[in-house]
Coordinates of all heavy atoms in Angstrom, one line a residue:
F1 N 7.5 50.2 -80.5 CA 8.0 48.9 -79.9 C 9.5 48.9 -79.7 O 10.0 48.3 -78.8 CB 7.4 47.8 -80.7 CG 6.0 47.5 -80.6 CD1 5.3 46.9 -81.6 CD2 5.2 48.0 -79.5 CE1 3.9 46.8 -81.5 CE2 3.9 47.8 -79.4 CZ 3.2 47.2 -80.4
L2 N 10.2 49.4 -80.7 CA 11.7 49.5 -80.6 C 12.1 50.3 -79.3 O 13.0 49.9 -78.6 CB 12.3 50.1 -81.8 CG 12.4 49.2 -83.1 CD1 12.7 50.0 -84.3 CD2 13.6 48.2 -82.8
Y3 N 11.4 51.4 -79.1 CA 11.7 52.2 -77.9 C 11.4 51.4 -76.6 O 12.3 51.3 -75.8 CB 10.8 53.4 -77.9 CG 10.8 54.2 -76.6 CD1 11.9 55.0 -76.2 CD2 9.9 53.9 -75.6 CE1 12.0 55.6 -75.0 CE2 10.0 54.5 -74.3 CZ 11.0 55.4 -74.1 OH 11.0 56.0 -72.9
L4 N 10.3 50.7 -76.6 CA 10.0 49.9 -75.4 C 10.9 48.7 -75.2 O 11.3 48.5 -74.0 CB 8.5 49.4 -75.5 CG 7.5 50.5 -75.4 CD1 6.1 50.0 -75.8 CD2 7.4 51.2 -74.0
H5 N 11.3 48.0 -76.2 CA 12.2 47.0 -76.1 C 13.7 47.5 -75.7 O 14.4 46.8 -75.0 CB 12.3 46.2 -77.4 CG 11.2 45.2 -77.6 ND1 11.0 44.1 -76.7 CD2 10.2 45.1 -78.5 CE1 9.9 43.5 -77.1 NE2 9.4 44.1 -78.2
T6 N 14.0 48.7 -76.2 CA 15.3 49.2 -75.8 C 15.3 49.6 -74.3 O 16.3 49.4 -73.6 CB 15.6 50.5 -76.6 OG1 15.5 50.2 -78.0 CG2 17.0 51.0 -76.3
R7 N 14.2 50.1 -73.8 CA 14.0 50.3 -72.3 C 14.2 49.0 -71.6 O 14.8 49.0 -70.5 CB 12.7 51.0 -72.0 CG 12.5 52.4 -72.5 CD 13.5 53.4 -71.9 NE 13.5 53.4 -70.4 CZ 12.7 54.2 -69.7 NH1 11.8 55.0 -70.4 NH2 12.7 54.2 -68.4
E8 N 13.7 48.0 -72.2 CA 13.7 46.6 -71.5 C 15.2 46.1 -71.5 O 15.6 45.6 -70.4 CB 12.8 45.7 -72.2 CG 12.8 44.3 -71.6 CD 12.2 44.2 -70.2 OE1 11.4 45.1 -69.9 OE2 12.6 43.3 -69.5
K9 N 15.9 46.3 -72.6 CA 17.3 45.8 -72.6 C 18.2 46.7 -71.8 O 19.2 46.2 -71.3 CB 17.7 45.7 -74.1 CG 19.1 45.1 -74.2 CD 19.5 44.9 -75.7 CE 20.9 44.2 -75.8 NZ 21.3 44.0 -77.2
Y10 N 17.9 48.0 -71.7 CA 18.8 48.9 -71.0 C 18.0 49.6 -69.9 O 17.6 50.8 -70.1 CB 19.4 50.0 -72.0 CG 20.3 49.3 -73.0 CD1 19.9 49.1 -74.3 CD2 21.6 49.0 -72.7 CE1 20.7 48.5 -75.3 CE2 22.5 48.4 -73.6 CZ 22.0 48.2 -74.9 OH 22.9 47.6 -75.8
P11 N 17.7 48.9 -68.8 CA 16.8 49.4 -67.8 C 17.4 50.4 -66.8 O 16.6 51.2 -66.2 CB 16.3 48.2 -67.1 CG 17.5 47.2 -67.2 CD 18.1 47.5 -68.5
E12 N 18.7 50.5 -66.7 CA 19.3 51.3 -65.7 C 19.6 52.7 -66.1 O 19.8 53.0 -67.3 CB 20.7 50.6 -65.2 CG 20.5 49.2 -64.7 CD 19.6 49.1 -63.5 OE1 19.5 50.1 -62.7 OE2 19.0 48.1 -63.3
P13 N 19.5 53.7 -65.2 CA 19.7 55.1 -65.5 C 21.1 55.4 -66.2 O 21.2 56.2 -67.0 CB 19.6 55.8 -64.1 CG 18.7 54.9 -63.3 CD 19.1 53.5 -63.8
Q14 N 22.1 54.6 -65.8 CA 23.4 54.8 -66.3 C 23.5 54.4 -67.8 O 24.5 54.8 -68.5 CB 24.5 54.1 -65.5 CG 24.4 52.6 -65.5 CD 23.6 52.1 -64.4 OE1 22.8 52.8 -63.8 NE2 23.9 50.8 -63.9
H15 N 22.6 53.7 -68.3 CA 22.5 53.4 -69.7 C 22.1 54.6 -70.6 O 22.3 54.5 -71.8 CB 21.5 52.2 -70.0 CG 22.0 50.9 -69.3 ND1 21.0 50.0 -68.8 CD2 23.2 50.3 -69.2 CE1 21.7 49.0 -68.3 NE2 23.0 49.2 -68.6
W16 N 21.6 55.6 -69.9 CA 21.0 56.7 -70.6 C 21.7 58.1 -70.2 O 21.0 59.2 -70.3 CB 19.5 56.8 -70.4 CG 18.9 55.5 -70.8 CD1 18.6 54.4 -70.0 CD2 18.4 55.2 -72.1 NE1 18.0 53.4 -70.7 CE2 17.9 53.8 -72.0 CE3 18.4 55.8 -73.4 CZ2 17.3 53.2 -73.1 CZ3 17.9 55.2 -74.4 CH2 17.3 53.8 -74.3
D17 N 22.9 58.1 -69.7 CA 23.5 59.3 -69.1 C 24.3 60.1 -70.1 O 24.8 61.1 -69.8 CB 24.4 58.9 -67.9 CG 25.5 58.0 -68.3 OD1 25.7 57.7 -69.5 OD2 26.2 57.5 -67.3
S18 N 24.2 59.7 -71.4 CA 24.8 60.5 -72.4 C 24.0 60.4 -73.7 O 23.4 59.4 -73.9 CB 26.3 60.2 -72.7 OG 26.4 59.0 -73.4
L19 N 24.0 61.4 -74.6 CA 23.3 61.3 -75.8 C 23.8 60.3 -76.7 O 23.0 59.5 -77.3 CB 23.3 62.8 -76.5 CG 22.4 62.9 -77.8 CD1 21.0 62.6 -77.5 CD2 22.6 64.3 -78.3
G20 N 25.1 60.2 -76.9 CA 25.7 59.2 -77.8 C 25.4 57.8 -77.4 O 25.0 56.9 -78.2
K21 N 25.5 57.5 -76.1 CA 25.2 56.2 -75.6 C 23.7 55.9 -75.7 O 23.4 54.7 -76.1 CB 25.6 56.1 -74.1 CG 25.4 54.7 -73.4 CD 25.6 54.8 -71.9 CE 26.9 55.2 -71.5 NZ 27.1 55.2 -70.0
S22 N 22.9 56.8 -75.5 CA 21.4 56.6 -75.6 C 21.0 56.3 -77.1 O 20.3 55.3 -77.3 CB 20.7 57.8 -75.1 OG 21.0 58.1 -73.7
F23 N 21.6 57.0 -78.0 CA 21.3 56.8 -79.4 C 21.8 55.4 -79.8 O 21.1 54.7 -80.6 CB 22.0 57.9 -80.3 CG 21.7 57.7 -81.7 CD1 20.4 58.0 -82.2 CD2 22.7 57.4 -82.6 CE1 20.2 57.8 -83.6 CE2 22.4 57.3 -83.9 CZ 21.2 57.5 -84.4
C24 N 23.0 55.0 -79.4 CA 23.5 53.7 -79.7 C 22.7 52.6 -79.1 O 22.7 51.5 -79.7 CB 25.0 53.6 -79.3 SG 26.1 54.6 -80.3
N25 N 22.0 52.8 -78.0 CA 21.1 51.8 -77.4 C 20.1 51.4 -78.4 O 19.7 50.3 -78.7 CB 20.5 52.3 -76.1 CG 21.5 52.4 -75.0 OD1 22.6 51.8 -75.0 ND2 21.1 53.2 -74.0
F26 N 19.5 52.5 -79.0 CA 18.4 52.2 -80.0 C 18.9 51.5 -81.3 O 18.3 50.5 -81.8 CB 17.7 53.5 -80.5 CG 17.0 54.2 -79.4 CD1 17.3 55.4 -78.9 CD2 15.9 53.5 -78.8 CE1 16.6 56.0 -77.9 CE2 15.1 54.1 -77.8 CZ 15.5 55.4 -77.3
L27 N 20.2 51.9 -81.7 CA 20.7 51.2 -82.9 C 21.1 49.8 -82.6 O 20.9 48.9 -83.4 CB 22.1 51.9 -83.3 CG 21.9 53.3 -83.8 CD1 23.3 53.9 -84.1 CD2 21.1 53.4 -85.1
D28 N 21.5 49.5 -81.3 CA 21.9 48.1 -81.0 C 20.6 47.2 -81.0 O 20.7 46.1 -81.5 CB 22.5 48.1 -79.5 CG 22.8 46.7 -79.0 OD1 23.5 46.0 -79.8 OD2 22.3 46.3 -78.0
V29 N 19.5 47.7 -80.4 CA 18.3 46.9 -80.4 C 17.8 46.7 -81.8 O 17.4 45.5 -82.2 CB 17.2 47.6 -79.5 CG1 15.9 46.8 -79.6 CG2 17.7 47.5 -78.0
L30 N 17.8 47.7 -82.7 CA 17.3 47.6 -84.0 C 18.2 46.6 -84.8 O 17.7 45.7 -85.5 CB 17.4 48.9 -84.7 CG 17.0 48.9 -86.2 CD1 15.6 48.2 -86.4 CD2 17.0 50.3 -86.8
N31 N 19.5 46.7 -84.6 CA 20.5 45.7 -85.3 C 20.2 44.3 -84.8 O 20.2 43.4 -85.6 CB 21.9 46.1 -85.0 CG 22.9 45.3 -85.7 OD1 22.9 45.3 -87.0 ND2 23.8 44.6 -85.1
H32 N 20.0 44.1 -83.5 CA 19.6 42.8 -83.0 C 18.3 42.2 -83.6 O 18.2 41.0 -84.0 CB 19.5 42.8 -81.5 CG 19.1 41.5 -80.8 ND1 20.0 40.4 -80.7 CD2 17.9 41.1 -80.4 CE1 19.3 39.4 -80.2 NE2 18.1 39.8 -80.0
C33 N 17.3 43.1 -83.8 CA 16.1 42.7 -84.4 C 16.3 42.3 -85.9 O 15.6 41.3 -86.4 CB 15.1 43.8 -84.3 SG 14.4 44.2 -82.7
C34 N 17.2 43.0 -86.5 CA 17.5 42.6 -87.9 C 18.2 41.2 -88.0 O 17.9 40.4 -88.9 CB 18.4 43.7 -88.6 SG 17.6 45.2 -88.9
N35 N 19.1 41.0 -87.0 CA 19.8 39.7 -87.0 C 18.8 38.6 -86.8 O 18.9 37.5 -87.4 CB 20.8 39.7 -85.8 CG 22.1 40.4 -86.2 OD1 22.5 40.5 -87.4 ND2 22.8 41.0 -85.2
E36 N 17.9 38.8 -85.8 CA 16.9 37.8 -85.5 C 15.7 37.8 -86.5 O 14.9 36.8 -86.4 CB 16.4 38.0 -84.1 CG 17.4 37.9 -83.0 CD 18.0 36.6 -82.9 OE1 17.2 35.6 -83.0 OE2 19.2 36.5 -82.7
K37 N 15.6 38.8 -87.3 CA 14.4 39.0 -88.2 C 13.2 38.9 -87.4 O 12.2 38.4 -87.8 CB 14.5 37.9 -89.3 CG 15.7 38.0 -90.2 CD 15.7 36.8 -91.2 CE 17.0 36.9 -92.0 NZ 17.1 35.8 -93.0
R38 N 13.2 39.7 -86.3 CA 12.1 39.6 -85.4 C 12.0 40.9 -84.5 O 12.9 41.3 -84.0 CB 12.1 38.4 -84.5 CG 10.9 38.2 -83.6 CD 11.0 37.0 -82.7 NE 9.8 36.8 -82.1 CZ 8.7 36.1 -82.6 NH1 8.8 35.6 -83.7 NH2 7.6 36.0 -81.8
L39 N 10.8 41.5 -84.5 CA 10.5 42.6 -83.6 C 9.2 42.1 -82.9 O 8.1 42.1 -83.5 CB 10.3 43.9 -84.3 CG 9.7 45.1 -83.5 CD1 10.7 45.4 -82.3 CD2 9.5 46.3 -84.4
D40 N 9.3 41.8 -81.6 CA 8.1 41.3 -80.9 C 7.1 42.5 -80.6 O 7.5 43.5 -80.2 CB 8.6 40.7 -79.6 CG 9.2 39.3 -79.8 OD1 8.5 38.4 -80.3 OD2 10.3 39.1 -79.4
H41 N 5.9 42.1 -80.7 CA 4.8 43.1 -80.3 C 5.0 43.2 -78.8 O 5.1 42.2 -78.1 CB 3.4 42.4 -80.6 CG 2.3 43.3 -80.5 ND1 2.0 44.0 -79.3 CD2 1.4 43.7 -81.4 CE1 0.8 44.7 -79.6 NE2 0.5 44.6 -80.9
Y42 N 5.0 44.5 -78.3 CA 5.3 44.7 -76.9 C 4.1 44.4 -76.0 O 4.3 44.1 -74.8 CB 5.8 46.1 -76.6 CG 6.5 46.2 -75.3 CD1 7.8 45.8 -75.2 CD2 5.9 46.7 -74.2 CE1 8.5 45.9 -74.0 CE2 6.6 46.8 -73.0 CZ 7.9 46.4 -72.9 OH 8.6 46.5 -71.7
Y43 N 2.9 44.3 -76.5 CA 1.7 44.2 -75.7 C 1.0 42.8 -75.9 O 0.0 42.5 -75.3 CB 0.7 45.3 -75.9 CG 1.2 46.7 -75.7 CD1 1.0 47.7 -76.6 CD2 2.0 47.0 -74.6 CE1 1.5 49.0 -76.4 CE2 2.5 48.2 -74.4 CZ 2.2 49.3 -75.3 OH 2.7 50.5 -75.1
Q44 N 1.6 42.0 -76.8 CA 0.8 40.8 -77.2 C 1.9 39.6 -77.5 O 2.8 39.9 -78.3 CB -0.1 40.9 -78.4 CG -0.8 39.7 -78.8 CD -1.7 40.0 -80.0 OE1 -1.9 41.1 -80.4 NE2 -2.3 38.9 -80.5
A45 N 1.8 38.5 -76.8 CA 2.7 37.4 -77.0 C 2.7 36.8 -78.3 O 1.6 36.7 -79.0 CB 2.4 36.4 -75.9
N46 N 3.9 36.4 -78.8 CA 4.0 35.5 -80.0 C 3.6 36.2 -81.3 O 3.0 35.6 -82.2 CB 3.2 34.2 -79.8 CG 3.7 33.4 -78.7 OD1 4.8 33.4 -78.3 ND2 2.7 32.9 -77.9
I47 N 3.8 37.5 -81.4 CA 3.5 38.3 -82.6 C 4.8 38.9 -83.1 O 5.4 39.7 -82.3 CB 2.4 39.3 -82.4 CG1 1.1 38.7 -82.0 CG2 2.2 40.1 -83.7 CD1 0.5 37.8 -83.1

């Protein structure tokens, strides 16, 4: 689900054109989930 939400937050090809940038994308989404204390189920609403 972290992978899928990261694709959702960073949908454009230029978001993934380097290894460092790509890895930081995953860290950013995980950090945001920690801030919100929430990781949404990607296939089911309100979970």
Side-chain angles (χ1 to χ4, degrees):
F1 291 154
L2 279 166
Y3 169 81
L4 293 169
H5 281 296
T6 306
R7 292 296 305 272
E8 180 66 26
K9 185 172 182 178
Y10 296 100
E12 302 300 331
Q14 61 267 26
H15 294 143
W16 304 93
D17 57 9
S18 75
L19 183 57
K21 184 190 297 184
S22 300
F23 181 70
C24 286
N25 290 344
F26 293 118
L27 291 179
D28 177 56
V29 171
L30 177 56
N31 189 61
H32 177 75
C33 289
C34 290
N35 281 332
E36 299 295 320
K37 301 178 183 179
R38 184 176 188 87
L39 172 60
D40 286 302
H41 195 302
Y42 199 78
Y43 304 136
Q44 183 178 351
N46 302 320
I47 298 294

